[in-house]
Amino acid sequence: GIVASVDNVVHWTWDEQVGLGGGAFAYLAPGEHARYLAGIGAAHPAPAPRIFFAGEHLSVAHAWIQGALQSALDAVTQVLDRVSLARAA
């Protein structure tokens, strides 16, 4: 029921990326996850976001599939909340 509210869905195939682990997970130096998590995971643009992010790099279970799945659920919840707010307005 949100098709009219979603402009596009973009995904990235990490298996096709060159780099550490073939792109299996984001590599963050010590302290970077805690320092940058709020910024890299924030929906954009505030205060009326239309772009939402998901991925293992946005989770406390960094570098694990469980983190990627939890992050995806969080992003979907944000999208649904945004659609609900837009419909109520």
Side-chain angles (χ1 to χ4, degrees):
I2 65 169
V3 173
S5 300
V6 176
D7 296 329
N8 197 2
V9 174
V10 179
H11 68 278
W12 189 269
T13 305
W14 287 108
D15 289 342
E16 297 174 4
Q17 303 309 306
V18 177
L20 183 67
F25 56 88
Y27 177 77
L28 300 166
E32 287 184 337
H33 192 260
R35 192 169 38 244
Y36 301 124
L37 184 60
I40 62 176
H44 185 77
R50 305 240 345 124
I51 302 170
F52 301 86
F53 299 96
E56 54 78 27
H57 62 295
L58 300 176
S59 166
V60 294
H62 174 67
W64 291 89
I65 190 67
Q66 295 92 333
L69 294 172
Q70 183 60 54
S71 176
L73 289 172
D74 293 344
V76 169
T77 299
Q78 290 177 41
V79 169
L80 293 174
D81 288 346
R82 180 71 190 138
V83 169
S84 295
L85 288 173
R87 288 184 178 165

